[in-house]
């Protein structure tokens, strides 16, 4: 198959999760249900936080941002997959693939940064409670979120611009259900050394620093709680971190699972299936984790649903 310049490539072929025709209706129903639950669950969290003045605090400000990002994160991949399954098509346009990659990297990175910022928020609340309102002021909270958007937008833009200099064969097949950067680099016809170097640098910088920040925050939290004599106060303080810890473990655990599965099993199909965990399952579970483990969120959701029911 002759290599053509990328300007001549009008589309790629996404191979999806399965080639079995009998599984397509099952996959369509399953992923449509998961997508709707994800959007509805995260939207309820945003509405609950915005409608209840008692939740207008830095912790819930970051939570509502995380819910918004999770909706966008899932929406970059699942709708296109659903359309392809429903129409029995595998194609995605060249520009559509670049756009999907760009926004996928932005929202995936934002998830990473927001979890780190939320860990810092818990660190300040528990280790410096008297200075909490001064340190975590609205200006700093807004600045942290804005910086996360700017950094990820620039990083994603660099990767997309580097992709645009590559050449691809006509009817290039991507063994995934969306345009993931690593998978696209593997099917390129030209040299991807610079792209891979940039990819590894981004993975280290955007992975090591946030994880280090989370570990540092929780090491200080644990150290601070060890000095508290009251067991009840320890439990009360650490219970505010429970939901965040669950989400952190789920996010990084599934991401690590995808990496290990691709390292142990070279099959791209296995890697695509493993990717479902952090692209679809994790954003779907986050609202349940925060609502089921947090009495403030449960209370706000209850009041929101009661208000909505009384208006019907």
């Amino acid at each position: 198959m002759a290599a053509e310049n990328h300007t001549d490539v009008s589309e790629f072929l996404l191979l999806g999760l399965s080639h079995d025709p009998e599984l397509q209706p099952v996959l369509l129903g399953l992923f449509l249900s998961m997508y709707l639950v994800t959007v509805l669950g995260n939207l309820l969290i945003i509405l609950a936080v915005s409608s209840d003045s008692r939740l207008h605090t830095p912790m819930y400000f970051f939570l509502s941002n995380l819910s918004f990002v999770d909706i966008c994160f899932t929406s970059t991949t699942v709708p296109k997959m659903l359309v392809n399954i429903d129409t029995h098509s595998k194609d995605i346009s060249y520009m559509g693939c670049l756009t999907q990659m760009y926004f996928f990297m932005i929202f995936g990175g934002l998830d990473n940064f927001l979890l780190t910022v939320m860990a810092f928020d818990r660190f300040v609340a528990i280790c410096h409670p008297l200075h909490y309102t001064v340190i975590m002021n609205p200006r700093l909270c807004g600045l942290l979120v804005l910086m996360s958007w700017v950094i990820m937008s620039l990083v994603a833009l660099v990767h997309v611009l580097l992709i645009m200099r590559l050449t691809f064969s006509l009817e290039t097949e991507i063994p995934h259900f969306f345009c993931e950067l690593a998978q696209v680099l593997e099917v390129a016809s030209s040299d991807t050394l610079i792209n891979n170097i940039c990819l590894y640098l981004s993975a280290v910088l955007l992975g090591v620093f946030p994880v280090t920040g989370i570990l540092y925050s929780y090491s200080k939290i644990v150290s601070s709680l060890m000095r508290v004599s009251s067991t009840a106060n320890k439990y009360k303080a650490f219970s505010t971190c429970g939901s965040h810890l669950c989400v952190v473990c789920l996010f990084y655990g599934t991401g690590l699972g995808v990496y290990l599965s691709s390292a142990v099993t070279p099959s791209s199909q296995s890697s695509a299936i493993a990717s479902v965990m952090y692209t679809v399952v994790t954003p779907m579970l986050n609202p349940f984790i925060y609502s089921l483990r947090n009495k403030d969120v449960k209370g706000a959701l209850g009041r929101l649903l009661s208000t909505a029911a009384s208006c019907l």
Side-chain angles (χ1 to χ4, degrees), residues 7-25:
T7 54
D8 297 326
V9 177
S10 60
E11 64 181 27
F12 295 116
L13 298 177
L14 296 172
L15 299 186
L17 295 173
S18 173
H19 302 293
D20 188 350
E22 295 181 359
L23 275 180
Q24 301 309 306

Side-chain angles (χ1 to χ4, degrees), residues 3-159:
E4 300 286 343
N5 187 275
H6 70 267
T7 54
D8 297 326
V9 177
S10 60
E11 64 181 27
F12 295 116
L13 298 177
L14 296 172
L15 299 186
L17 295 173
S18 173
H19 302 293
D20 188 350
E22 295 181 359
L23 275 180
Q24 301 309 306
V26 177
L27 291 174
L28 179 64
L30 177 63
F31 281 94
L32 178 59
S33 301
M34 294 171 72
Y35 178 66
L36 292 176
V37 170
T38 300
V39 173
L40 180 60
N42 283 290
L43 189 59
L44 283 174
I45 293 290
I46 295 172
L47 291 174
V49 171
S50 60
S51 64
D52 196 324
S53 59
R54 282 167 287 193
L55 299 185
H56 292 176
T57 62
M59 180 172 70
Y60 296 111
F61 169 73
F62 295 131
L63 174 60
S64 59
N65 274 275
L66 181 68
S67 294
F68 173 74
V69 168
D70 278 342
I71 292 174
C72 298
F73 185 50
T74 306
S75 297
T76 59
T77 58
V78 177
K80 177 58 180 175
M81 179 179 64
L82 294 175
V83 169
N84 282 5
I85 293 175
D86 187 50
T87 58
H88 306 287
S89 171
K90 296 180 179 179
D91 65 281
I92 182 171
S93 67
Y94 175 74
M95 288 308 298
C97 185
L98 292 181
T99 302
Q100 191 178 65
M101 269 193 296
Y102 178 71
F103 286 107
F104 181 81
M105 284 185 282
I106 287 178
F107 295 123
L110 281 171
D111 256 343
N112 202 12
F113 279 128
L114 285 172
L115 290 175
T116 307
V117 170
M118 292 170 79
F120 174 70
D121 173 73
R122 292 298 84 208
F123 157 69
V124 176
I126 293 173
C127 299
H128 304 283
L130 298 179
H131 303 287
Y132 179 72
T133 54
V134 176
I135 297 174
M136 300 304 295
N137 58 76
R139 183 178 178 180
L140 177 63
C141 294
L143 183 62
L144 289 172
V145 173
L146 178 62
M147 284 177 57
S148 300
W149 275 93
V150 171
I151 291 171
M152 284 315 306
S153 297
L154 292 175
V155 169
L157 181 62
V158 169
H159 283 296

